[in-house]
Amino acid sequence: MFSAILLEKNDAGVTAGVRAMEESSLPEAANPVVMSVSYSTVNYKDALAITNRGPVVRKWPMIPGIDGAGMVLESSHPRWSVGDAVVLNGFGVGETHWGCLAQCARLNGNWLIPLPQTLTARDAMAIGTAGYTAMLSVLALEDAGVAPGDDPVLVTGASGGVGSFSTALLAARGYRVAASTGKASEKPYLTQLGASEIVDRETLAVAGKALQKERYAAVIDSVGSHTLANACAQTRYGGVIAACGLAQGMDFPASVAPFILRAVRLFGIDSVMAPIALRERAWAELGKAMTSDTLQVIAPTTVSLAGALNTAHALMEGRVRGRVVVDLNQ
Ligand SMILES: NC(=O)c1ccc[n+]([C@@H]2O[C@H](COP(=O)([O-])OP(=O)(O)OC[C@H]3O[C@@H](n4cnc5c(N)ncnc54)[C@H](OP(=O)(O)O)[C@@H]3O)[C@@H](O)[C@H]2O)c1
């Protein structure tokens, strides 16, 4: 038997609860690896699934949890042996395939990467998809030629998971970071992560002109909607934007002016189906960049499976700073 959060759909709606499950109930997977999950986390997508606020879950019943870190218990995959320490991010886990808010998961071995040697399983879940997406975004900017310089990089949704890691990673690499937040009370936190200026998110959240004062060399945006449109309008000539989220909205009410008059480039970031080589590159960089001090600042809180249910609601209500780790043995 193992414990898991189970999401069930019935006539009354969707229920979420901690349940005792039989290992035999785990769904089949190609190239199967059974993983003992020691830590997971609550991402924005997990919170949407648990609170049923977005169409994340595609099959019912579902165990949520798009991230997991733990150890291989059984393997039919040539790359993995019993006892290997592994990490899972995305690939539809927690959406179409039972996920890692569970003590046990049966996964396709092709979806796994090795836990970087410098990180513990808890560290990896403090980072989770949010930190890995922040790293993918930083790599996209740098691959496009962005380097530390005079103009700052704008990070939106800065006190959230992706935003916190984007701020910390960019600052550690020598960038000046302008952190946009809706919470004035988070200024000390963002300054501690390395932000050199704080931007009131209200200045970006409403419709603005197609071209505005050139302020930023680059942008990591986890918010979308008017915020992304204004970020494009404030990016300097030749600048680069990594669009990775939709916390404000999925719409993009923008003008082509920044792209055709200022040669601004807009890159999309997807963590879910990113190829293994890119994941391993991002996680290797995270393994080098992330100190336990930074992880403790961003993800000081560890909860049980039952606590993950409360965390999902708090996250949807904007009451979570940084990240929350789930200990499957708590
Ligand atoms: N592309 C990918 O593969 C990928 C991977 C991971 C996450 N994501 C997406 O990235 C986004 C952020 O994820 P996360 O885990 O960082 O979530 P999160 O921890 O909830 O952070 C989101 C942050 O956005 C800001 N925000 C929330 N509502 C807003 C609104 N209405 N208008 C403007 N800003 C708002 C808040 O920051 P402030 O209070 O500081 O303003 C909030 O902390 C989500 O949309 C998620 O789905 C995408």
Side-chain angles (χ1 to χ4, degrees):
M1 300 292 285
F2 68 96
S3 295
I5 290 178
L6 192 68
L7 307 179
E8 294 175 285
K9 196 173 193 175
N10 54 38
D11 292 344
V14 173
T15 59
V18 179
R19 303 272 184 273
M21 311 281 295
E22 302 267 2
E23 200 177 316
S24 58
S25 64
L26 286 169
E28 294 302 316
N31 316 297
V33 170
V34 177
M35 174 182 172
S36 157
V37 184
S38 49
Y39 289 93
S40 184
T41 178
V42 183
N43 287 284
Y44 190 86
K45 197 180 259 182
D46 303 316
L48 284 174
I50 290 169
T51 60
N52 193 33
R53 296 219 196 159
V56 170
V57 175
R58 306 290 175 175
K59 277 186 189 171
W60 302 93
M62 178 56 61
I63 293 177
I66 67 170
D67 285 332
M71 200 165 277
V72 172
L73 285 180
E74 295 168 28
S75 175
S76 308
H77 192 285
R79 191 173 180 203
W80 306 114
S81 305
V82 173
D84 285 348
V86 289
V87 177
L88 176 283
N89 305 112
F91 277 120
V93 173
E95 302 181 58
T96 56
H97 188 91
W98 281 11
C100 294
L101 282 166
Q103 290 174 314
C104 201
R106 184 182 285 122
L107 303 166
N108 184 333
N110 291 345
W111 299 338
L112 300 171
I113 60 163
L115 176 72
Q117 279 182 353
T118 51
L119 299 176
T120 65
R122 189 198 183 277
D123 291 343
M125 290 297 100
I127 296 168
T129 284
Y132 147 60
T133 300
M135 194 72 238
L136 290 177
S137 302
V138 171
L139 293 176
L141 299 185
E142 293 188 341
D143 287 352
V146 177
D150 290 341
D151 290 332
V153 177
L154 174 68
V155 172
T156 63
S159 76
V162 176
S164 294
F165 276 100
S166 298
T167 301
L169 288 167
L170 287 167
R173 289 161 107 85
Y175 293 88
R176 289 180 55 213
V177 179
S180 163
T181 182
K183 304 180 190 92
S185 59
E186 297 299 4
K187 185 175 177 183
Y189 167 71
L190 293 168
T191 304
Q192 191 180 6
L193 293 183
S196 48
E197 60 184 278
I198 304 297
V199 176
D200 178 351
R201 87 175 185 205
E202 287 307 315
T203 63
L204 296 166
V206 292
K209 289 185 180 165
L211 288 176
Q212 301 170 32
K213 183 169 185 247
E214 293 174 63
R215 296 176 200 276
Y216 305 115
V219 179
I220 297 180
D221 175 60
S222 60
V223 170
S225 192
H226 290 298
T227 301
L228 177 57
N230 284 316
C232 292
Q234 294 181 17
T235 298
R236 75 163 189 219
Y237 193 95
V240 185
I241 296 150
C244 62
L246 46 65
Q248 185 182 7
M250 209 182 220
D251 57 329
F252 181 36
S255 157
V256 296
F259 311 117
I260 63 172
L261 299 177
R262 288 187 183 159
V264 165
R265 288 162 292 162
L266 176 60
F267 288 90
I269 306 297
D270 171 54
S271 64
V272 180
M273 301 309 289
I276 288 290
L278 180 57
R279 287 167 189 260
E280 291 187 343
R281 181 179 168 213
W283 276 100
E285 289 288 329
L286 287 162
K288 281 189 269 176
M290 278 300 130
T291 63
S292 50
D293 285 353
T294 306
L295 292 175
Q296 192 55 31
V297 172
I298 298 178
T301 309
T302 306
V303 298
S304 63
L305 273 179
L309 296 173
N310 297 331
T311 300
H313 289 275
L315 200 118
M316 284 289 100
E317 288 154 20
R319 293 189 282 112
V320 174
R321 167 210 278 178
R323 308 256 306 138
V324 173
V325 175
V326 181
D327 180 348
L328 276 306
N329 295 308
Q330 208 177 80

